[in-house]
Amino acid sequence: MDTNAGQVTGKTDTAALLGPCARWPVEDREIIRHVLDRAGDKWTALVIAALDDGPLRYTDLLRRLPGISQRMLTLTLRQLHRDGLISRTAYAEVPPRVEYVLTPLGRTLHDIVVSLIDWAGIHHDEISRNRSRFDAATK
Amino acid sequence: MDTNAGQVTGKTDTAALLGPCARWPVEDREIIRHVLDRAGDKWTALVIAALDDGPLRYTDLLRRLPGISQRMLTLTLRQLHRDGLISRTAYAEVPPRVEYVLTPLGRTLHDIVVSLIDWAGIHHDEISRNRSRFDAATK
DNA sequence: CCGCATCCTGAGCGATACTG
DNA sequence: CAGTATCGCTCAGGATGCGG
């Protein structure tokens, strides 16, 4: 990383400043990258989207997210909790009950995530067609 | 998987229908998943975001995306082209020149992607604080 | 019911060197 | 300038089994 560090020390990295991260200072870049990576995780988006119905229990989420493994649900939930995007409430009952719900911060991301999912749903057929056409042409 | 398959065969998978994918038929699920995965690729979002300035050349993109390798830029561009999100124009000159630009379809995704990047930039400090607090509490 | 620990595989990605 | 080709590794993530 920082391959052009030795080029011109006075100009910092003007080239990089033109990119999509231009609005944010250099020291934040990698954190933004990290946030972006996490948002792009396989399940994070879908978990957040699933939580718009209100509080959900662990097993509810498991059923609402076809294909997710217990492991990944646990990990994803922990990350989201750690980042303050969801809150976790455990009730001392038998059998135990744990409910997850979006925090205000989480809800701000929720809206974006939902629009992304909607986008995928709306345009996936167009994308499929583009892909087929492309493959046919490149054959 | 499908632990409740033996429960009520007539009701198909109503549980799954409640999730965030509820709006879309079952056969589209995995395609949506795929589109979502692609959007969550390490560089896809940033490449799309970088292209809002208008047409860009290969090396322009390389400079505007600090840390990306030639390999990943090539692969990402190819996927985006294949999916019809960007168009590629090669000019028969010396030296060769190739320009990439968002298609109308790509521009619809662009807006979402930008809002996601902005979200990351706005909230990453809050997330960092949450994380620190969480780690301190769990110590 | 709600997880955590372990093992394991392969896709994603970076580094490097080479071509039209 | 705009890619391609090859190697190697890391690590996300699936399967399974156990524990509170």
Side-chain angles (χ1 to χ4, degrees):
Chain A
M1 60 188 73
D2 222 2
T3 49
N4 56 349
Q7 272 189 308
V8 184
T9 355
K11 295 186 63 180
T12 60
D13 50 353
T14 40
L17 287 176
L18 298 173
C21 324
R23 279 181 290 281
W24 312 106
V26 184
E27 65 267 25
D28 293 354
R29 298 277 177 76
E30 84 174 89
I31 312 188
I32 295 183
R33 273 259 33 155
H34 185 247
V35 173
L36 231 48
D37 285 347
R38 297 277 339 335
D41 271 356
K42 185 162 186 185
W43 297 106
T44 303
L46 290 177
V47 168
I48 290 179
L51 282 173
D52 69 346
D53 297 344
L56 284 181
R57 309 179 54 169
Y58 183 84
T59 22
D60 287 334
L61 285 165
L62 215 50
R63 265 176 300 138
R64 284 167 124 97
L65 300 168
I68 196 174
S69 62
Q70 289 196 2
R71 170 190 158 85
M72 287 320 293
L73 179 56
T74 300
L75 289 181
T76 304
L77 287 173
R78 185 153 47 196
Q79 301 244 37
L80 290 173
H81 184 212
R82 193 168 107 104
D83 291 350
L85 298 177
I86 64 174
S87 69
R88 190 195 120 114
T89 314
Y91 298 91
E93 306 172 354
V94 235
R97 179 164 57 103
V98 182
E99 284 186 346
Y100 298 93
V101 61
L102 289 175
T103 63
L105 176 59
R107 215 165 288 119
T108 62
L109 180 56
H110 169 85
D111 296 342
I112 299 175
V113 155
V114 165
S115 65
L116 188 60
I117 292 178
D118 284 346
W119 186 92
I122 293 172
H123 296 291
H124 78 266
D125 51 344
E126 184 173 359
I127 291 178
S128 295
R129 272 183 282 119
N130 288 336
R131 207 174 287 188
S132 304
R133 196 153 39 82
F134 184 87
D135 291 347
T138 348
K139 164 183 53 65
Chain B
M1 62 185 72
D2 221 2
T3 49
N4 57 349
Q7 275 190 306
V8 185
T9 354
K11 294 185 67 181
T12 60
D13 51 350
T14 42
L17 288 176
L18 298 174
C21 325
R23 280 181 290 281
W24 313 106
V26 184
E27 65 267 24
D28 293 354
R29 300 275 176 77
E30 84 174 89
I31 311 187
I32 296 182
R33 274 259 33 155
H34 186 246
V35 172
L36 232 46
D37 285 347
R38 297 273 313 100
D41 271 356
K42 185 163 186 184
W43 296 106
T44 302
L46 290 176
V47 168
I48 290 178
L51 281 174
D52 70 345
D53 297 344
L56 284 180
R57 308 176 57 168
Y58 184 83
T59 24
D60 288 333
L61 284 166
L62 216 49
R63 268 175 298 139
R64 285 167 123 98
L65 300 168
I68 197 173
S69 61
Q70 288 197 5
R71 171 191 157 84
M72 285 321 294
L73 180 56
T74 300
L75 289 180
T76 304
L77 287 173
R78 188 155 39 198
Q79 300 245 36
L80 290 173
H81 184 210
R82 193 169 105 104
D83 291 349
L85 298 176
I86 64 174
S87 69
R88 191 195 116 113
T89 315
Y91 299 90
E93 307 171 352
V94 231
R97 180 165 57 102
V98 180
E99 284 185 345
Y100 296 93
V101 62
L102 288 175
T103 62
L105 176 60
R107 216 166 288 118
T108 61
L109 180 55
H110 169 86
D111 297 341
I112 299 175
V113 156
V114 166
S115 64
L116 189 60
I117 293 178
D118 285 346
W119 187 91
I122 293 173
H123 296 291
H124 78 266
D125 50 344
E126 184 173 358
I127 291 178
S128 296
R129 275 183 280 117
N130 288 337
R131 208 174 287 190
S132 306
R133 197 154 40 81
F134 184 87
D135 291 346
T138 345
K139 166 181 52 69

